[in-house]
Amino acid sequence: RGGVCRFISSVRPRDVGVVSGSSLDRAMLTRPICARGTAAAAAAARYSRAGCHAAAPLLYARATSQRSRALSKAVIHSPVETDPAAVHPPFANYAHATSVPPASVFLCTSGQLGIAPDGSVPASAEAQAAIAFQNIGAILAASGAGLQHVVRLNAYVSGREHLPGYMRARDEALRGLPKTASTLMVVSGFARPEFVVEIEALAAVSSSAAASAASSA
C-alpha cells in the first residue's frame, strides 16, 4: 500500500487537467488540458477530413515532440522524507508523499489497462503493467509531459499473485526517476476478464513550462 500524496500548490481550477471520473476528478471539476485544443490538433483533424491520413499523424507527432522537449527538463516534484520512528518506511519503491511547488499544473490520466494499440492483451501482470505504463507515457506526452512528471500512482490488481509482476513493471518504467506517492489495491476484477492490472497517474509540471509548451504547439 502507498502513502498519501501531499501537494503544496496554488493550482487554479483551470490549470488542472482531468481525464477520468474518480472522486479526485469530481473535486477538481475541470476539463482536460488536452481538451483545450491546439493548433496542431485542429490542423491534424483538417488533414484527416481532407483524406491526408498519412500527414495527420506526422503533424501531430511533430507538435507533440516540440511540447515534450519544452517540458523534458521540468521535473519539479520531490519525495517527502519521513522519520522511520514516526511512520513505517514504504514497503516498496515509492514515497509516503511527494511535494509539488506552487503554481503547478496537474495532469490526471484515466486508469490504463494492459492493452496494446493493436488490441492485444498479454497474459501476465508484468506485461500488462508494462503496456499500461507505456500508455500513460503516451497520454502524458500528448499534453507535453512524461513519466518523469508523475507524482502519484493508483494501481489495481485482480489478485495478490499479481503484485510482484506489477511492482517489477513499475520499477522498470520509473527507473532513475524521483519516487512517487503510490497506492496499490487488490480488487475483484475489471471490465473484461483478461485484464489483471489497471494504473492511473497524476503528473505535475510547472506552469511556466506548460505555458512554454502550449506556445510551441
Side-chain angles (χ1 to χ4, degrees):
R1 294 185 62 84
V4 175
C5 192
R6 176 167 67 91
F7 301 116
I8 307 173
S9 178
S10 59
V11 181
R12 296 166 298 178
R14 66 175 179 273
D15 289 330
V16 183
V18 176
V19 197
S20 73
S22 70
S23 58
L24 175 64
D25 302 337
R26 290 192 294 272
M28 290 177 173
L29 295 176
T30 62
R31 64 194 179 106
I33 282 179
C34 58
R36 296 177 183 175
T38 65
R46 290 196 298 271
Y47 271 93
S48 181
R49 287 195 297 269
C52 303
H53 300 293
L58 178 60
L59 182 63
Y60 180 79
R62 287 175 179 172
T64 300
S65 176
Q66 291 173 349
R67 299 177 69 194
S68 295
R69 284 197 299 272
L71 292 180
S72 61
K73 297 182 179 179
V75 177
I76 59 172
H77 70 280
S78 58
V80 174
E81 298 296 332
T82 53
D83 182 0
V87 58
H88 193 282
F91 291 113
N93 190 29
Y94 63 87
H96 277 315
T98 51
S99 178
V100 179
S104 299
V105 175
F106 289 119
L107 307 170
C108 307
T109 75
S110 296
Q112 294 302 305
L113 298 162
I115 182 169
D118 63 3
S120 60
V121 179
S124 74
E126 185 171 359
Q128 286 192 24
I131 292 176
F133 276 111
Q134 291 171 6
N135 293 341
I136 289 170
I139 292 166
L140 294 177
S143 292
L147 289 175
Q148 69 270 30
H149 301 111
V150 172
V151 299
R152 179 180 173 83
L153 293 170
N154 286 337
Y156 314 86
V157 296
S158 60
R160 286 181 173 81
E161 67 274 18
H162 301 311
L163 294 173
Y166 161 75
M167 289 188 284
R168 285 193 298 269
R170 176 199 61 198
D171 292 350
E172 179 61 29
L174 303 180
R175 184 181 302 277
L177 301 179
K179 291 181 180 179
T180 69
S182 176
T183 297
L184 177 56
M185 291 165 275
V186 177
V187 298
S188 60
F190 301 102
R192 284 164 48 179
E194 63 266 37
F195 295 122
V196 297
V197 178
E198 185 168 357
I199 309 165
E200 58 188 26
L202 179 67
V205 297
S206 67
S207 57
S208 59
S212 174
S215 64
S216 68

